[in-house]
Amino acid sequence: MSKVIDRNDIEMLVRRHLQDLGMDSEAIPKKEYIVAANWKMNMTDKETRKFLEEMKGVNIAEHIRVMIFPPYPYLYLFRDMLRYERIAYGAQDVAKEEKGAYTGEVSAAMLGDMGCPLTLVGHSERRSYYGDTSEIVAKKAKAALEHQITPMICIGETLEERKSHRYEQVLKEQLDAVYGELKDQVKDCLIAYEPVWAIGTGVIPTLKEISETHEYIHQVLVSYGVLAEKIRILYGGSVNAGNVRDIASVKYVNGFLIGGASLKADSFGNIIRLASEV
Ligand code: 13P
């Protein structure tokens, strides 16, 4: 695939040039990052209220977008408590069907009805424990978009797929399924790259691996030719305050999807602060 020059390259060149001229490179807007929390099946009503209260004390820089994906029962707390805050919230999954006899499912229409702006789809835990294939994930993303909900589509390879060098093929298959269903609407999605072997393990890929993989994902998106180069690609898997700055410095990393380290407002707030300093 051909090398693509993007906003990051141009920014870097301009910044360097201004520095060479002895001029203030701070005038250039900083790269925007999304700092997203996936709470998975954690937290209580009381803990959620406390978290949201504490988040009021967290200073969120202009170029940082914060998103939180709590369990379904707490979405209303987010809607009601966050109304005037700079934090977006979303569901962790959504049904691919519109409505009807699907016990246990929550439809995109329902999420849209309550004003929920975002949803995760295709998290590796949904793929591995609940049988969400890439085709199902694509249909869920489509259902979300039909109700003006932005899907954050999670993709990622297993350790075995990484070790056997099949990860590019796996990621491409996951993305192709989404493109096959959404076509030009793919540009309205967010992508979270989460290597399965880095989730909850404390092990993260090397920065070189993150860089190569994000660039690969970017190029696959560009190959669709539907302005998909504008899609934000987040990294997820064992992100914490100790590694967030390094990961943020990687090109094509536009944010983070954080599990364990997002469950306490002080830890999550610290990550938001660190990301804003990059
Ligand atoms: P951890 O940050 O706990 O590794 O979880 C990552 C994740 O799965 C976020 O969706």
Side-chain angles (χ1 to χ4, degrees):
M1 283 181 210
S2 63
K3 174 92 183 77
V4 208
I5 294 192
D6 79 342
R7 187 170 170 270
N8 294 326
D9 293 305
I10 296 166
E11 246 180 55
M12 196 179 67
L13 288 170
V14 173
R15 215 176 272 283
R16 276 204 200 133
H17 191 57
L18 285 175
Q19 275 162 2
D20 288 348
L21 293 171
M23 292 168 76
D24 179 15
S25 64
E26 285 307 305
I28 304 170
K30 287 194 164 182
K31 179 175 165 185
E32 188 182 282
Y33 290 102
I34 296 170
V35 184
N38 174 11
W39 283 2
K40 310 192 179 186
M41 202 169 73
N42 293 295
M43 304 294 259
T44 61
D45 178 284
K46 196 171 160 198
E47 287 166 344
T48 303
R49 287 173 192 272
K50 181 166 175 279
F51 184 101
L52 291 175
E53 273 308 316
E54 288 173 6
M55 282 304 290
K56 287 184 181 161
V58 174
N59 178 35
I60 301 171
E62 274 302 312
H63 64 292
I64 301 289
R65 287 175 64 197
V66 177
M67 300 175 178
I68 304 180
F69 298 89
Y72 287 129
Y74 309 134
L75 285 172
Y76 268 101
L77 284 180
F78 275 75
R79 187 190 69 173
D80 295 343
M81 291 181 72
L82 281 180
R83 194 159 293 166
Y84 305 107
E85 304 294 329
R86 293 194 43 241
I87 301 175
Y89 64 93
Q92 294 176 11
D93 194 27
V94 67
K96 65 184 189 312
E97 295 83 10
E98 182 66 20
K99 67 182 284 193
Y102 301 101
T103 303
E105 292 289 277
V106 173
S107 73
M110 292 168 185
L111 294 174
D113 192 29
M114 68 162 288
C116 177
L118 296 159
T119 186
L120 297 178
V121 290
H123 191 279
S124 73
E125 287 146 21
R126 302 279 341 156
R127 290 180 192 256
S128 61
Y129 305 148
Y130 303 100
D132 280 11
T133 61
S134 293
E135 286 67 33
I136 291 175
V137 172
K139 287 194 165 68
K140 289 182 169 186
K142 176 114 183 142
L145 286 166
E146 275 165 10
H147 292 274
Q148 289 72 51
I149 297 167
T150 302
M152 185 184 289
I153 299 162
C154 306
I155 59 170
E157 81 284 358
T158 62
L159 188 58
E160 192 271 321
E161 288 160 349
R162 165 68 54 174
K163 283 190 171 157
S164 58
H165 302 285
R166 281 190 295 125
Y167 65 95
E168 289 192 347
Q169 183 194 331
V170 168
L171 296 171
K172 182 157 168 29
E173 279 167 12
Q174 292 175 346
L175 289 168
D176 282 352
V178 171
Y179 178 64
E181 185 73 36
L182 301 186
K183 301 294 180 205
D184 68 331
Q185 277 188 300
V186 77
K187 69 178 186 323
D188 301 324
C189 301
L190 299 163
I191 302 289
Y193 167 58
E194 300 203 294
V196 179
W197 48 280
I199 295 177
T201 58
V203 178
I204 63 160
T206 63
L207 294 182
K208 185 166 175 284
E209 285 170 326
I210 296 177
S211 171
E212 284 168 357
T213 313
H214 274 241
E215 178 155 10
Y216 177 73
I217 293 167
H218 177 81
Q219 292 194 349
V220 171
L221 295 171
V222 169
S223 75
Y224 298 145
V226 286
L227 289 178
E229 65 273 16
K230 295 206 181 307
I231 299 177
R232 312 284 167 76
I233 309 167
L234 286 72
Y235 169 80
S238 295
V239 175
N240 58 40
N243 57 30
V244 67
R245 289 175 64 115
D246 285 343
I247 302 171
S249 67
V250 175
K251 195 174 153 187
Y252 300 119
V253 168
N254 305 114
F256 316 92
L257 183 55
I258 306 160
S262 74
L263 295 174
K264 293 266 186 300
D266 56 353
S267 154
F268 188 54
N270 201 18
I271 293 175
I272 292 171
R273 182 179 59 77
L274 290 163
S276 75
E277 287 171 4
V278 176

